[in-house]
Amino acid sequence: EVHLVESGGDFVKPGGSLRISCAGSGFTFSYAWMSWVRQAPGKGLEWVGRIKSRDNGGTTDYSAPVKGRFIISRDDFTDTLYLQMTSLTSEDTAVYYCTTEVSGIMGGQTSGAGMNHWGQGTLVTVTS
Amino acid sequence: QTVVTQEPSVSVSPGGTVTLTCGLSSGSVSTRYFPSWYQQTPGQPPRTLIYSTYTRPSGVPDRFSGSLLGNKAALTISGAQADDESDYYCGLYLRSGDVIFGGGTKLTVL
């Protein structure tokens, strides 16, 4: 059974930094595309970014609001996904979910095709 | 800016069938957008019901089905049950690889 367990959520001051983690088990982590999705209190889902599997280049993609501030990385030896967040603002306050992402082929190119498994989430609160 | 549209709220009678839709502010949804559907109850993480337009992950009942309906993606729930009362989100993939979620549909079973 797939398990994703996020950790590291905390209170952070505006302008501060935080790294959160996601431990995966029950699947071959190194072959999985992984994404972060967040949800601000009382709001909908917002995709943050992804990291592809190493056999797909291990490259990262980010949403516009976090590009240049957030970095996604992975450790395929410890089956752990990371999200390093910097220059945090109140707009970044949210529950952050780690997800596995299905990949598909469209027009001869590999693309994400939907989230599959979700963790329970970890809360990041940016407040002075 | 691309906006994904969903009905804010929909209701269904127990045992009934309901269809939720997912559209684009401009253009039609097709399989190339890999539409996906997620169910979320308060205080819980989302649960994937459908990805890549039609595919149900293992463990998702076949009461939930994905399709394309006109120029939108659709999630049909048949034989609605009380515990289907949830928020439902759709997600679409842009050519850039970015994922855009709709604002969600609150489904009431009454």
Side-chain angles (χ1 to χ4, degrees):
Chain A
E1 187 182 353
V2 172
H3 282 289
L4 297 169
V5 179
E6 301 91 338
S7 61
D10 206 345
F11 291 87
V12 189
K13 286 187 170 19
S17 299
L18 186 69
R19 188 178 82 162
I20 59 177
S21 305
C22 168
S25 62
F27 64 105
T28 308
F29 186 89
S30 60
Y31 285 121
W33 289 31
M34 302 295 297
S35 263
W36 288 99
V37 175
R38 68 184 180 182
Q39 187 170 34
K43 302 294 185 184
L45 302 177
E46 180 185 18
W47 178 73
V48 172
R50 74 167 61 81
I51 185 164
K52 298 178 183 178
S53 58
R54 189 155 72 159
D55 64 341
N56 278 277
T59 54
T60 51
D61 299 300
Y62 299 96
S63 65
V66 309
K67 204 166 194 174
R69 300 189 300 123
F70 288 13
I71 295 174
I72 298 173
S73 61
R74 63 191 299 157
D75 184 337
D76 290 344
F77 292 102
T78 61
D79 293 355
T80 305
L81 177 73
Y82 298 101
L83 179 64
Q84 176 71 49
M85 301 178 284
T86 62
S87 302
L88 286 162
T89 75
S90 58
E91 302 287 300
D92 298 313
T93 293
V95 174
Y96 285 74
Y97 295 105
C98 155
T99 76
T100 61
E101 188 173 0
V102 178
S103 60
I105 303 287
M106 183 60 68
Q109 291 204 322
T110 307
S111 165
M115 310 305 158
N116 195 355
H117 304 283
W118 298 70
Q120 288 292 319
T122 189
L123 176 61
V124 174
T125 305
V126 184
T127 180
S128 53
Chain B
Q1 185 183 348
T2 303
V3 175
V4 175
T5 60
Q6 295 185 248
E7 299 87 357
S9 63
V10 173
S11 62
V12 62
S13 300
T17 297
V18 64
T19 297
L20 313 182
T21 67
C22 174
L24 278 170
S25 52
S26 57
S28 299
V29 177
S30 65
T31 55
R32 82 156 184 83
Y33 287 92
F34 294 104
S36 52
W37 292 92
Y38 309 95
Q39 177 192 48
Q40 188 179 35
T41 52
Q44 294 298 313
R47 169 198 182 198
T48 301
L49 296 176
I50 299 287
Y51 61 80
S52 195
T53 312
Y54 308 107
T55 305
R56 263 190 315 274
S58 61
V60 174
D62 60 7
R63 304 188 296 105
F64 296 93
S65 62
S67 65
L68 295 176
L69 204 60
N71 62 351
K72 296 182 179 182
L75 173 72
T76 299
I77 306 171
S78 57
Q81 302 174 358
D83 61 5
D84 293 335
E85 193 161 285
S86 303
D87 293 324
Y88 292 82
Y89 295 94
C90 77
L92 299 177
Y93 281 75
L94 305 185
R95 282 194 192 279
S96 61
D98 286 15
V99 181
I100 306 293
F101 290 100
T105 296
K106 186 175 189 64
L107 179 69
T108 302
V109 181
L110 49 69

